[in-house]
Amino acid sequence: MAAVKPGLGRVLPGSSILFLCDMQEKFRHIAYFPQIVSVAARMLKVARLLEVPVVLTEQYPQGLGPTVPELGAEGLKPLPKTCFSMVPVVRKELDARPHLHSVLLCGIETQACILNTTLDLLDRGLQVHLVVDACSSRSQVDRLVALARMRQSGAFLSTSEGLILQLVGDAAHPQFKEIQKIIKEPAPDSGLLGLFQGQNPLFR
């Protein structure tokens, strides 16, 4: 496995893991929910093609329902939680992977479980790559400020396609043609352009 220089934000399949956070039935009212799930489903398909491990959580599933079927997470065992971070319930998975370097993070809500998961992972010395077109909140102000907050703490903000192409690395990769089919159509608009337009002081 090639070495990854800290601080560059490179991602490699052999040292990465995909986290899918709380995309459940009772969260369908969240802004851009269908688009967020669609992009997360792309990330999951690519992770499976490249043999990147995947972890799926559900926040209080008794009240908030199961993971939505359109994520395509069949075969994954969701880990139930009540904590506003994925890390306590995935600690064994993290500890079992000493070569793990990067966590690719999708889900909801950005200012709650995504933010706290990010801080916990950074505290463990892991790089966090937020799939910004696969994270949302009920409030777009919360979403925007949480993304800025995580960037201040050292997380990387990336789009799904940017991360997918980093993971595959080369058009000569044996799985590239399958991955090309996944990204042939641009990812759906999840309202990010409006958040980043203009002289936004949070992202200077």
Side-chain angles (χ1 to χ4, degrees):
M1 186 190 305
V4 178
K5 291 183 180 178
L8 285 182
R10 294 193 188 281
V11 292
L12 301 170
S15 59
S16 299
I17 190 169
L18 176 64
F19 276 20
L20 301 172
C21 183
D22 306 351
M23 285 171 275
Q24 295 160 252
E25 288 289 347
K26 290 292 180 70
F27 288 131
R28 287 187 180 274
H29 64 287
I30 284 176
Y32 301 102
F33 185 85
Q35 295 90 336
I36 295 303
V37 173
S38 174
V39 174
R42 287 183 174 211
M43 294 298 298
L44 176 55
K45 288 176 184 175
V46 170
R48 284 172 163 161
L49 284 169
L50 298 179
E51 300 182 349
V52 173
V54 183
V55 171
L56 172 71
T57 61
E58 293 176 346
Q59 179 74 15
Y60 187 59
Q62 307 96 298
L64 296 172
T67 298
V68 296
E70 54 266 40
L71 181 60
E74 299 83 5
L76 293 178
K77 183 179 179 181
L79 300 172
K81 66 183 181 66
T82 57
C83 182
F84 296 126
S85 169
M86 296 176 71
V87 171
V89 296
V90 302
R91 188 169 285 120
K92 287 184 181 178
E93 183 75 24
L94 295 174
D95 291 342
R97 300 181 180 278
H99 300 299
L100 184 65
H101 186 81
S102 305
V103 178
L104 317 180
L105 182 53
C106 305
I108 52 178
E109 286 188 74
T110 317
Q111 83 288 358
C113 295
I114 297 297
L115 171 61
N116 286 301
T117 298
T118 295
L119 297 179
D120 285 347
L121 291 169
L122 291 171
D123 206 33
R124 289 177 66 103
L126 292 166
Q127 285 192 359
V128 179
H129 298 263
L130 295 156
V131 189
V132 293
D133 47 344
C135 296
S136 193
S137 303
R138 288 165 296 153
S139 160
Q140 294 305 282
V141 172
D142 280 335
R143 183 187 187 192
L144 174 64
V145 174
L147 289 173
R149 169 73 173 82
M150 290 182 278
R151 182 170 175 258
Q152 288 171 336
S153 295
F156 294 97
L157 306 187
S158 301
T159 63
S160 55
E161 185 163 330
L163 285 169
I164 288 168
L165 291 174
Q166 277 195 72
L167 285 168
V168 71
D170 193 320
H173 192 287
Q175 295 290 0
F176 179 70
K177 288 194 180 299
E178 288 304 309
I179 289 170
Q180 191 176 34
K181 293 175 187 176
I182 295 170
I183 62 173
K184 184 176 180 180
E185 293 298 321
D189 175 32
S190 57
L192 286 170
L193 189 59
L195 296 180
F196 288 101
Q197 275 180 333
Q199 296 299 310
N200 190 325
L202 294 175
F203 289 98
R204 284 180 184 167

